[in-house]
Amino acid sequence: MIRPKSPMRRAIAIAAGALIGAAGVMAFAAPASAHHPEIYGKYCLVKGSNNYEFTWTVYNSETIPGTITKVLPGAVGAIQVGATLPAKGDPSAPLSGTETRTAANSQALAKNLTVEAQWKRDKRIITEERTVKAVDKGFCKKTPPTTPPPTTPPTTAPPTTPPATEPPTTPPTTAPPTTPPATQTPEPTPSATPEPVEPVGTYEFTCDEVIITVENPTDETVSIVLTPNEGEAQTLTVEPGKTGSVTFPAKEGLVITPSGDGIDGDPLAYEKPEDCTPGGGGGEGDLPLTGAAAGGIAAGAVLLLGAGVVLYIVARRRRVTFTA
């Protein structure tokens, strides 16, 4: 007797194989999270002067709070070193401030703001610096001056005079209604993060590695020499529109100094993340793995896809049972 396999079981096996394969791709091929401060700026020219009024706003790209670690050319209102960058969606977000910059003309005006922020996750510390250019809003809108109410002089009693024939009373003139000033509608928050105008530097401290990444949005090749206080220096060269990274073994007291043509960076002193177990190495925590771990991750995804194919092939076979 030959009993064909149940069509329902076959369909379930095929679906399971497809789900395993898809899960492998989704779990292992997902891109890394990009931590960064989201900077928005605008400026206007005060008419009849060389003064430009700037307004800056900084949001957080992450759902955990960060800390501002650098502001260039200087602090602007609440945007200052040591300030907490509220988590994305926090009602107290964002940080903001206004400033006045003076220049002979718009071409000579410095329009950029650089903000560096740091986030601490499980066994990982991420720091990124971004530079964004403010948007020109033309001339500043003047606020109409408030006219104070007229001062009424003190009333003096008139001298007593004999009654006279009163002239016919004239009805008081009704003043035309005052039109209230137009209410300015606040500009909506931009929907997209402005593109950085300079290379973006990101460095991560894990329990066993220091990962330095440079994203180059400019049209020129960027070359940075990274020199540790112990060990050999590494050169990171990134072509226009590309991203590159280098890795150093992490150890207490490690300091890496960046240098190169036009590079004016501060030395990076390694800071050991919390919850690092002695000799246990780093852990991915809440962040996806990147860099050298990508090879092992891809291999795992291939294995899961292979398992899905095997289940699919097995599902197509029919079970044959012989009975006397």
Side-chain angles (χ1 to χ4, degrees):
M1 176 182 179
I2 300 177
R3 292 185 301 178
K5 189 175 181 180
S6 169
M8 183 60 67
R9 291 182 59 189
R10 179 183 178 187
I12 292 174
I14 294 173
L19 286 174
I20 290 177
V25 174
M26 292 292 290
F28 292 104
S33 174
H35 297 64
H36 60 275
E38 298 182 346
I39 311 167
Y40 301 92
K42 59 183 179 179
Y43 68 93
C44 60
L45 173 63
V46 179
K47 212 166 187 179
S49 72
N50 292 330
N51 295 330
Y52 295 83
E53 301 292 338
F54 281 77
T55 301
W56 298 100
T57 307
V58 180
Y59 290 84
N60 190 345
S61 69
E62 301 303 303
T63 55
I64 61 171
T67 302
I68 301 297
T69 52
K70 183 192 296 183
V71 181
L72 296 176
V76 183
I79 309 170
Q80 53 185 293
V81 174
T84 298
L85 185 58
K88 185 176 184 178
D90 190 312
S92 62
L95 299 180
S96 60
T98 59
E99 62 175 337
T100 301
R101 299 184 184 183
T102 303
N105 50 57
S106 179
Q107 287 70 30
L109 178 66
K111 309 176 183 71
N112 297 343
L113 182 71
T114 299
V115 177
E116 181 185 81
Q118 184 180 91
W119 294 262
K120 293 185 177 181
R121 291 186 179 270
D122 181 29
K123 299 183 180 180
R124 198 169 285 247
I125 299 174
I126 307 98
T127 305
E128 179 166 308
E129 171 187 306
R130 285 205 168 195
T131 301
V132 168
K133 180 179 178 181
V135 178
D136 185 359
K137 291 296 183 179
F139 288 106
C140 300
K141 296 180 180 178
K142 290 185 178 181
T143 304
T146 303
T147 304
T151 304
T152 305
T155 305
T156 56
T160 305
T161 55
T165 305
E166 295 183 358
T169 58
T170 304
T173 303
T174 304
T178 305
T179 304
T183 304
Q184 294 183 350
T185 304
E187 295 186 8
T189 301
S191 58
T193 303
E195 289 294 330
V197 296
E198 293 184 4
V200 177
T202 305
Y203 54 95
E204 298 183 29
F205 296 153
T206 70
C207 295
D208 52 8
E209 287 183 327
V210 174
I211 306 168
I212 300 176
T213 303
V214 173
E215 176 188 349
N216 184 12
T218 69
D219 55 1
E220 296 181 356
T221 299
V222 175
S223 185
I224 303 174
V225 178
L226 300 160
T227 306
N229 55 346
E230 294 184 21
E232 296 183 358
Q234 299 189 51
T235 301
L236 176 58
T237 301
V238 185
E239 296 178 356
K242 303 290 185 180
T243 300
S245 64
V246 295
T247 302
F248 291 87
K251 60 185 300 184
E252 295 289 347
L254 174 65
V255 178
I256 302 172
T257 303
S259 61
D261 186 17
I263 302 298
D264 185 20
D266 298 327
L268 310 179
Y270 173 68
E271 180 182 350
K272 189 175 183 179
E274 299 177 357
D275 302 328
C276 287
T277 57
E284 55 271 21
D286 295 333
L287 297 177
L289 293 176
T290 59
I297 291 175
V302 171
L303 288 175
L304 286 178
L305 285 171
V309 172
V310 171
L311 286 176
Y312 175 76
I313 294 174
V314 171
R316 291 180 58 88
R317 299 178 58 187
R318 295 178 179 272
R319 181 178 300 171
V320 179
T321 303
F322 294 92
T323 57

